[in-house]
Amino acid sequence: MEMMEVVATEIMDAALHVAVAGRTLAVAERDGTHDPATGRALTGSWLWDSSLVLASHLASCVHHHHLRGATVLELGAGTGLPGIAAVACLGAARCVLTDVRPLLPGLRANADANGLTAEQADVRELRWGGHLEPEVQVDVVLMSDVFYDPDDMPAMADTLHGLWRDGDSDSDGGGTVGWAASEVRDGVQDCIDVLREQGFEVVEVDRVTRPLLRDPEQAADFAVYRLFRRTTSPSIVSDPTPITTAGC
């Protein structure tokens, strides 16, 4: 996997500069963004390592046809790096960056800072369990650090079902495909198991160990997963365990 380089930090309101496929993207963090209901800081205000890993994986798969000319939706986008990189660097035609309402101004600002027009980067509120209007046709779904709480997975799966278009085959049939990245930690497998129960397969396709963005003296393992919607009943899937493979 091509590793991305954080080339500058704390520039203009805590912006990070991140190199993706030969282009430097600016990602601004907003420390003051809070959940109005709880007063807690929203973790999506900051750039996290899983977003770096996912964008890096997509860059290594730049010639994969799924991204070329695609409409990409990032679910729980936070600062929006993978979705923005898909359009700005990797050949996608459009990204739809979704998250809770308080994070939308930051997503819009990051898209603008990287030269994406409103037509190229659509910023939408979307909570898990919610749905976008049917005319939003999504080719690729991106997610980073969403495998955290198994109790949230049924609602997320409901949203995914609303976004998904089935193709002629699981691997290459023209339907929606998904990629997700997550730090390898307790609870991730439980989340994946719930998604399987909800009709999705989640297959690990890459794993990388990298220094942590916020604590470079420490390192952690991160996994990238390919998602597809299962067309057979879970009861007849003989081996639900993901098969780790190399590639996209």
Side-chain angles (χ1 to χ4, degrees):
M1 174 188 291
E2 170 195 348
M3 293 305 296
M4 296 193 306
E5 178 187 4
V6 179
V7 297
T9 61
E10 298 182 358
I11 297 175
M12 298 181 63
D13 192 22
L16 303 174
H17 285 188
V18 181
V20 183
R23 176 172 174 179
T24 298
L25 300 179
V27 180
E29 301 178 312
R30 297 195 168 197
D31 292 345
T33 307
H34 294 78
D35 185 335
T38 65
R40 296 177 181 173
L42 290 167
T43 57
S45 303
W46 300 288
L47 179 66
W48 295 99
D49 297 86
S50 291
S51 293
L52 297 170
V53 169
L54 181 56
S56 181
H57 182 80
L58 294 174
S60 72
C61 299
V62 68
H63 298 296
H64 199 285
H65 72 276
H66 285 301
L67 281 177
R68 291 195 199 126
T71 293
V72 173
L73 183 139
E74 188 174 357
L75 192 63
T79 59
L81 174 63
I84 291 169
V87 176
C89 310
L90 304 176
R94 177 182 179 228
C95 61
V96 183
L97 306 174
T98 70
D99 215 312
V100 295
R101 183 173 293 272
L103 293 174
L104 302 188
L107 282 168
R108 181 73 263 161
N110 281 336
D112 292 345
N114 290 288
L116 301 190
T117 66
E119 290 74 22
Q120 292 174 304
D122 188 4
V123 175
R124 302 281 192 100
E125 180 180 15
L126 183 60
R127 292 179 176 271
W128 297 351
H131 298 277
L132 297 179
E133 53 270 33
E135 58 266 27
V136 179
Q137 297 289 308
V138 176
D139 303 304
V140 177
V141 176
L142 303 178
M143 300 176 284
S144 56
D145 257 345
V146 298
F147 300 154
Y148 189 77
D149 187 345
D151 291 340
D152 291 337
M153 293 300 100
M156 190 177 80
D158 183 53
T159 296
L160 288 172
H161 279 299
L163 296 170
W164 224 262
R165 296 180 298 107
D166 290 322
D168 296 330
S169 70
D170 290 333
S171 61
D172 197 18
T176 303
V177 296
W179 283 282
S182 178
E183 183 176 351
V184 179
R185 58 175 175 252
D186 292 343
V188 169
Q189 188 59 49
D190 293 336
C191 292
I192 290 172
D193 290 343
V194 175
L195 284 178
R196 284 209 189 92
E197 293 169 1
Q198 299 293 321
F200 288 91
E201 273 302 327
V202 185
V203 179
E204 184 177 325
V205 295
D206 201 2
R207 186 172 290 215
V208 61
T209 301
R210 54 164 286 138
L212 294 176
L213 177 64
R214 302 184 187 283
D215 188 2
E217 294 184 359
Q218 300 294 321
D221 292 333
F222 295 85
V224 178
Y225 304 91
R226 171 81 180 273
L227 283 81
F228 56 89
R229 183 157 66 176
R230 194 167 48 235
T231 57
T232 57
S233 167
S235 63
I236 62 174
V237 176
S238 61
D239 183 6
T241 303
I243 300 172
T244 301
T245 60
C248 300

